[in-house]
């Protein structure tokens, strides 16, 4: 919400009052214009529309407004603002259905975020195709995308939800996309041009992946991020070249399977400045029991682990936060019971049970929990979703918030139409008003047999308490917009690019050169906005501001078409007189009318 000065003062006063009242400002309130609603008659499938795993969001725009992002199984991807209005050019539609969470990040370092989505076809489960898209905010794909990947069906048959994970693995200033192919044996690492990095894709056959997204973190403390992946039988840790780190892979006992769609979590649990790897497992044949494992970075199992649950199965990623403000991290695990057993466990770093309780509504879903202070009392709370024992007369789900002692918070649960299956809550400040928001979704298939109708809701709530960034330990599925599942990872801010005194026209982009640093030559890419024409100049300057190269062949008029025009320019490290320039830092500047974009590159000889 964009506030004027008087409204901002009033909002701040309300938040201050909430603070004085220890956060007791009533139940979460649905934001104006919400929920988003979609109904599809004659739905051909028995599974729900989505949005699987949870809702993601964009960084704030120049007015401080965020937008939420989600994909659905009807092949659409949506971007909505705080008033529930769709971004121009959206929704976009892909080749198949969306199973995993949408991932958001500025993968090509152009100052604008991209939306990373994996679409699947619905054909023969023994031969599945996937298309990984990297959508710009105008709905077009980056060059090199979509990336089409052929897959084989495995023991799971059709794929389960898996999200892509972003990180700058090779430290070249752009982001790579890491993911595994569920029910397949292929792991992938792709750059922002839709190309596999050296050493990828990686085949672990005859083993296969079990529907768990990867997580990323610097496991071996070499200054570079590594990839952690769970297969049916092993825990893998690879560097960006696809090489096993020392001490890995680790084994998963034969009678246990990784919890489906539950990513490994990363956190420094023992304070030695090295990341531990946490993950849930369960007994597959009769769903009788489960274990939660913690591995040290060297591949050894941490003392006190695994923790065995003899009559319940862990179904979620173990999430991490300091829920009691004692300076030590706790691990929150949600279990589905096979008998009369508590559902939510809070474990210490040595595996001891600090607290446990049973939810009011049984049947906690696979995604979550999240750990955020939602009542402004200075302690982080635990929010989970459930579908069981919520409504007697209608189909509904609910989101429950518990304090550190397992007490249900006032104003909760938040009950929504449809089921909250496969969805976790997402907490954010959507309109930069310093008030905490919650984005959730729900969906249902009405009638088990055709004709079916599928319905979907996205909900945005104002929690009515101030945002406390220090107590947003695990605010969404995958921890962050990159889905790193790394407790210590913070998504770097996206710098909004400006040119002259006005915002750069939408679609006008100058990409980071590749490779960078470079030796012999490098490629510079840029886009021009659609619907406009003008003179374009690309120039290269040295660190002292002296022009060394001017691209005369690309000074031209762009005739408006249906989408942004993409150009590439290769610089071979020579000046306008074809003489080689020396090693060092150079700047390349794109001028389009009165607007300028500038980036930095490094030449090494």
């Amino acid at each position: 919400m964009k506030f004027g000065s008087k409204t901002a003062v009033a909002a701040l006063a309300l938040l201050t009052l909430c603070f004085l009242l220890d956060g007791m400002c009533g139940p979460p309130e649905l934001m104006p214009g919400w929920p988003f609603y979609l109904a599809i008659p004659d739905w051909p499938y028995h599974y729900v529309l989505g949005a699987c795993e949870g809702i993601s969001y964009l960084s704030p725009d120049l007015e401080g407004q965020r937008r939420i992002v989600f994909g659905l199984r009807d092949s659409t991807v949506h971007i909505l603002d705080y008033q529930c209005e769709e971004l121009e050019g959206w929704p976009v539609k892909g080749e198949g259905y969306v199973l995993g969470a949408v991932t958001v990040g500025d993968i090509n370092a152009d100052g604008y975020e991209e939306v990373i989505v994996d679409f699947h076809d619905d054909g023969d489960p023994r031969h599945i195709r996937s298309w990984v898209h990297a959508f710009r905010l105008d709905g077009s794909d980056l060059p090199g995308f979509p990336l089409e990947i052929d897959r084989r069906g495995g023991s799971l048959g059709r794929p389960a939800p898996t999200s892509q994970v972003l990180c700058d693995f090779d430290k070249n200033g752009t982001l790579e996309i890491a993911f595994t192919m569920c029910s397949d044996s292929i792991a992938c690492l792709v750059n922002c041009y839709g190309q596999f990095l050296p050493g990828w894709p990686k085949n672990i056959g005859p083993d296969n992946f079990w529907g768990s997204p990867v997580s990323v973190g610097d496991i071996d403390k070499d200054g570079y991020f590594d990839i952690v992946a769970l297969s049916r039988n092993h825990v893998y840790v690879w560097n960006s070249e696809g090489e096993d780190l020392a001490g890995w892979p680790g084994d998963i006992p034969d009678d246990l399977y990784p919890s489906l769609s539950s990513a490994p979590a990363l956190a420094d649990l023992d304070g030695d400045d090295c990341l531990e790897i946490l993950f849930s497992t369960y007994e597959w044949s009769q769903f009788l029991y489960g274990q939660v494992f913690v591995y040290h970075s060297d591949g050894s199992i941490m003392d006190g682990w695994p923790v065995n649950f003899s009559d319940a199965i862990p179904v979620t990623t173990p999430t991490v936060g300091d829920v009691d403000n004692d300076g030590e991290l706790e691990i929150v695990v949600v279990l589905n019971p096979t008998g009369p057993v508590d559902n939510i466990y809070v474990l210490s770093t040595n595996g001891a049970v600090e607290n446990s309780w049973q939810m009011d509504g049984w049947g906690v879903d696979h995604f979550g929990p999240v750990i955020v202070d939602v009542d402004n009392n200075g302690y982080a709370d635990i929010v989970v979703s459930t579908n069981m024992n919520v409504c007697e007369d209608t189909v509904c789900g609910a989101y429950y918030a518990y304090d550190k002692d397992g007490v249900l918070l006032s104003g909760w649960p938040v009950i929504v139409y449809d089921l909250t299956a496969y969805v976790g809550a997402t907490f954010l400040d959507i309109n930069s008003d310093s008030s905490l928001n919650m984005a959730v979704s729900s969906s249902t298939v009405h009638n088990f047999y055709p004709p079916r109708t599928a319905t979907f809701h996205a909900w945005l709530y104002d929690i009515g308490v101030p945002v406390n960034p220090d107590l947003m330990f695990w605010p969404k599925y995958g921890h962050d917009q990159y889905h790193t599942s790394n407790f210590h990872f913070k998504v770097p801010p996206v710098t909004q690019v400006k040119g002259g005194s006005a915002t750069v026209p939408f679609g006008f982009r100058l990409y980071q050169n590749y490779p960078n640093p470079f030796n012999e030559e490098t490629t510079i890419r840029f886009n021009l906005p659609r619907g406009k024409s003008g003179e374009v100049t690309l120039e290269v300057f040295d660190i002292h501001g002296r022009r060394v190269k001017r691209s005369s062949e690309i000074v031209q008029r762009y005739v408006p078409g249906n989408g942004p025009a993409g150009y590439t320019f290769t610089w071979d490290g020579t000046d306008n007189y074809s003489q080689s320039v020396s090693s060092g830092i150079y700047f390349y500047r794109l001028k389009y009318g009165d607007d300028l974009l500038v980036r930095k590159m490094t030449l090494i000889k």
Side-chain angles (χ1 to χ4, degrees):
M1 192 174 298
K2 188 177 181 181
F3 289 119
S5 58
K6 292 183 178 179
T7 309
V9 171
L12 182 59
L14 176 61
L15 294 177
T16 303
L17 178 61
C18 288
F19 177 78
L20 295 174
L21 295 176
D22 199 24
M24 304 303 292
C25 286
E29 293 187 1
L30 194 64
M31 296 278 282
W34 294 83
F36 171 87
Y37 174 69
L38 180 66
I40 301 179
D42 299 320
W43 181 244
Y45 312 110
H46 67 274
Y47 46 74
V48 297
L49 273 168
C52 287
E53 299 175 342
I55 288 174
S56 196
Y57 51 86
L58 301 176
S59 295
D61 60 18
L62 294 172
E63 295 183 345
Q65 309 297 319
R66 296 181 186 269
R67 288 180 171 87
I68 66 170
V69 188
F70 54 86
L72 301 177
R73 282 190 169 111
D74 70 342
S75 306
T76 60
V77 182
H78 301 258
I79 300 181
L80 303 173
D81 67 10
Y82 72 97
Q83 296 175 315
C84 201
E85 295 179 356
E86 197 97 47
L87 181 65
E88 182 180 357
W90 296 77
V92 297
K93 196 173 182 67
E95 299 85 351
Y97 48 89
V98 181
L99 280 175
V102 172
T103 308
V104 174
D106 181 10
I107 68 171
N108 58 359
D110 68 341
Y112 295 89
E113 287 175 308
E114 283 76 39
V115 176
I116 315 303
V117 190
D118 188 11
F119 294 91
H120 303 265
D121 72 359
D122 196 32
D124 186 346
R126 296 168 297 179
H127 181 76
I128 302 169
R129 291 187 299 165
S130 293
W131 295 265
V132 178
H133 284 260
F135 291 115
R136 303 182 184 96
L137 296 186
D138 63 2
S140 63
D141 260 305
L142 289 183
F145 292 91
L147 174 65
E148 183 175 352
I149 302 174
D150 287 325
R151 305 168 49 190
R152 66 172 180 85
S155 55
L156 284 181
R158 301 186 189 279
T162 53
S163 58
Q164 282 66 48
V165 179
L166 305 181
C167 209
D168 185 3
F169 291 94
D170 54 9
K171 288 196 168 183
N172 71 341
T174 61
L175 301 177
E176 284 73 49
I177 307 169
F179 56 98
T180 60
M181 308 303 291
C182 176
S183 76
D184 205 339
S185 56
I186 302 298
C188 303
L189 186 59
V190 177
N191 64 21
C192 65
Y193 305 101
Q195 303 163 335
F196 289 105
L197 267 64
W200 304 87
K202 189 174 183 66
N203 195 321
I204 63 166
D207 201 355
N208 61 49
F209 295 106
W210 198 243
S212 300
V214 303
S215 55
V216 300
D218 185 2
I219 303 299
D220 59 359
K221 299 293 292 182
D222 67 347
Y224 289 84
F225 284 97
D226 307 300
I227 299 172
V228 182
L230 300 178
S231 73
R232 163 62 186 89
N233 300 112
H234 297 96
V235 186
Y236 292 94
V237 183
W238 301 301
N239 62 21
S240 61
E241 287 79 35
E243 301 167 337
D244 291 319
L245 266 58
W248 301 94
D251 293 330
I252 296 176
D254 289 339
D255 61 332
L256 296 174
Y257 284 60
S259 295
L260 190 63
S261 303
S262 170
L266 306 180
D268 177 14
L269 298 182
D270 55 9
D272 65 352
D273 202 31
C274 293
L275 293 175
E276 275 70 49
I277 299 172
L278 306 80
F279 61 94
S280 301
T281 64
Y282 63 101
E283 191 270 336
W284 170 255
S285 62
Q286 300 182 59
F287 302 97
L288 295 177
Y289 60 89
Q291 291 182 321
V292 176
F293 286 81
V294 176
Y295 277 83
H296 286 299
S297 59
D298 62 1
S300 62
I301 296 181
M302 190 170 176
D303 290 344
W305 302 85
V307 173
N308 182 64
F309 299 96
S310 59
D311 53 1
I313 57 173
V315 293
T316 67
T317 295
T319 54
V320 178
D322 183 4
V323 299
D324 55 7
N325 282 0
D326 65 349
E328 301 288 336
L329 294 177
E330 284 78 40
I331 299 98
V332 180
V333 183
V334 177
L335 294 94
N336 280 168
T338 57
V341 56
D342 296 322
N343 290 92
I344 299 178
Y345 279 77
V346 180
L347 308 175
S348 66
T349 55
N350 64 6
V353 178
E354 292 191 0
N355 199 5
S356 64
W357 61 89
Q358 190 168 13
M359 286 187 58
D360 291 347
W362 179 84
V364 181
D365 202 62
H366 289 62
F367 302 102
V370 295
I371 305 176
V372 174
D373 182 9
V374 299
D375 61 357
N376 193 37
N377 70 343
Y379 289 87
D381 306 298
I382 299 167
V383 179
V384 295
S385 64
T386 184
N387 296 306
M388 304 297 183
N389 299 334
V390 177
C391 300
E392 294 182 1
D393 301 325
T394 186
V395 176
C396 69
Y399 289 85
Y400 288 77
Y402 295 93
D403 69 11
K404 62 184 179 63
D405 298 317
V407 176
L408 184 66
L409 299 185
S410 176
W412 298 78
V414 174
I415 298 176
V416 297
Y417 298 119
D418 291 344
L419 301 177
T420 59
Y422 306 110
V423 180
T426 296
F427 286 89
L428 72 160
D429 179 5
I430 195 168
N431 46 21
S432 298
D433 64 352
S434 299
S435 182
L436 186 65
N437 301 109
M438 179 178 72
V440 297
S441 66
S442 57
S443 57
T444 295
V445 177
H446 303 271
N447 298 326
F448 188 80
Y449 296 101
R452 306 182 184 97
T453 297
T455 56
F456 171 82
H457 290 84
W459 312 78
L460 182 65
Y461 290 90
D462 186 358
I463 304 301
V465 301
V467 175
N468 188 342
D470 294 333
L471 294 178
M472 296 182 71
F473 292 118
W474 205 283
K476 67 182 297 295
Y477 174 81
H479 180 266
D480 48 69
Q481 300 101 298
Y482 287 8
H483 291 141
T484 65
S485 295
N486 183 339
F487 171 77
H488 306 281
F489 186 85
K490 295 185 182 299
V491 173
V494 176
T495 302
Q496 295 290 343
V497 182
K498 288 190 176 183
S501 60
T503 303
V504 168
F506 190 71
F508 179 42
R509 298 182 177 184
L510 178 63
Y511 298 91
Q512 187 64 50
N513 63 302
Y514 183 82
N516 185 47
F518 69 100
N519 174 254
E520 294 182 354
E521 64 179 28
T522 188
T523 298
I524 299 170
R525 300 186 301 113
F526 62 91
N527 286 357
L528 302 182
R530 57 185 168 189
K532 297 183 70 174
S533 62
E535 188 175 69
V536 183
T537 305
L538 183 66
E539 298 169 300
V540 178
F541 298 85
D542 65 17
I543 198 170
H544 302 292
R546 296 175 298 214
R547 186 174 67 191
V548 298
K549 191 77 170 183
R550 183 176 188 271
S551 179
S552 58
E553 68 265 27
I554 61 170
V555 177
Q556 56 184 290
R557 290 276 181 176
Y558 165 47
V559 178
N562 293 325
Y567 293 88
T568 60
F569 170 69
T570 300
W571 186 43
D572 60 1
T574 64
D575 60 19
N576 277 331
Y577 302 99
S578 299
Q579 299 297 311
S580 295
V581 300
S582 60
S583 299
I585 295 175
Y586 291 85
F587 297 88
Y588 55 102
R589 184 181 73 179
L590 180 67
K591 186 176 182 181
Y592 179 66
D594 295 328
D595 295 302
L596 297 174
L597 294 177
V598 180
R599 286 192 175 274
K600 182 172 65 174
M601 58 184 168
T602 303
L603 171 62
I604 299 177
K605 293 187 175 180

